[in-house]
Amino acid sequence: MLKVEAIQAGYGDINILWDVSLSVEKGQFTTIIGTNGAGKTTLLRAIMGLIPLKTGAIRLEGTDISRYETWDMNERGLCLIPEGRMVFREMSVEENLMMGAYPQKSRANAKQNLESVYARFPRLKERYKQLAGSLSGGESQMLAMGRGLMSEPDIILIDEPSLGLAPVIVNDIFDILRGLKDEGKTIVLVEQNTHRSVEMADHVYLMQSGKVILSQNAADVDLDALHDLYFAR
Ligand code: ATP
């Protein structure tokens, strides 16, 4: 469904991703793990067209999308729930959610999608008029996820949703991810929390220094061996 083929990309003259390849099947939960600076966020940015490729291709259902503009990606069914949430702080919860409904394909269903986001995240419904800048970290993460879901994505890319959150809130976030997986959504999760993310995954990639150093079915992953590789320098 989504194929990243030997891409190189980075920032200006600095290359970060070195021939990175990965493959995501429909309905699969894919986890990308790796230490700080491994290039996980850069990979998601490259998929979304936020940074240009130097070499390689990114194919969605066989079509090379690597030259498409970022704002076309939502229309094509890709959505990024970014690291750090990136909510519009001066806008209300509901206005933030409605911003997620801008792709043409999801506009007509915006009202109905809003209700389903509120059903999934009752806390957002309680706070629908509140400014996003006044939400807690966990609520902001839920808002970022809700905003992404408003675009009716086929593939959800989600970058370190547990970052900076208390363990009890991390449990809530993983429960939501589990729910999305059980509904058959295609999910690519970038995480540093190896236990939780591997447990939920169908396939696991481990990145280090801008390269994929392990690609394995989650059922075959030996967590001890994975941690040895993860912490190896
Ligand atoms: P983290 O878990 O810390 O988010 P990551 O695996 O997502 O790590 P990236 O954020 O992709 O890693 O960073 C990979 C490398 O790219 C790092 O060395 C980082 O310093 C560099 N980098 C990231 N953003 C930029 C930028 N805008 N300009 C230049 N270099 C950048």
Side-chain angles (χ1 to χ4, degrees), residues 99-192:
M99 291 300 287
Y102 81 85
Q104 201 72 42
K105 70 179 174 74
S106 56
R107 277 184 209 172
N109 303 330
K111 237 179 144 48
Q112 183 184 323
N113 290 337
L114 188 64
E115 285 317 311
S116 75
V117 167
Y118 283 150
R120 199 184 295 276
F121 303 104
R123 192 72 80 88
L124 296 183
K125 184 165 189 177
E126 285 166 25
R127 286 160 171 64
Y128 78 102
K129 275 188 179 167
Q130 196 172 314
L131 285 186
S134 65
L135 296 176
S136 70
E139 290 163 352
S140 294
Q141 184 59 51
M142 289 175 193
L143 180 55
M145 292 167 87
R147 182 182 55 190
L149 293 172
M150 288 292 292
S151 68
E152 301 180 357
D154 297 323
I155 303 179
I156 304 166
L157 311 175
I158 178 161
D159 196 353
E160 296 206 40
S162 69
L163 194 72
L165 300 181
V168 62
I169 311 293
V170 173
N171 286 343
D172 292 346
I173 299 294
F174 273 93
D175 286 347
I176 299 286
L177 290 174
R178 165 84 57 198
L180 290 168
K181 174 183 160 99
D182 291 347
E183 288 166 28
K185 298 260 192 298
T186 307
I187 299 171
V188 178
L189 170 70
V190 158
E191 256 293 339
Q192 295 205 26

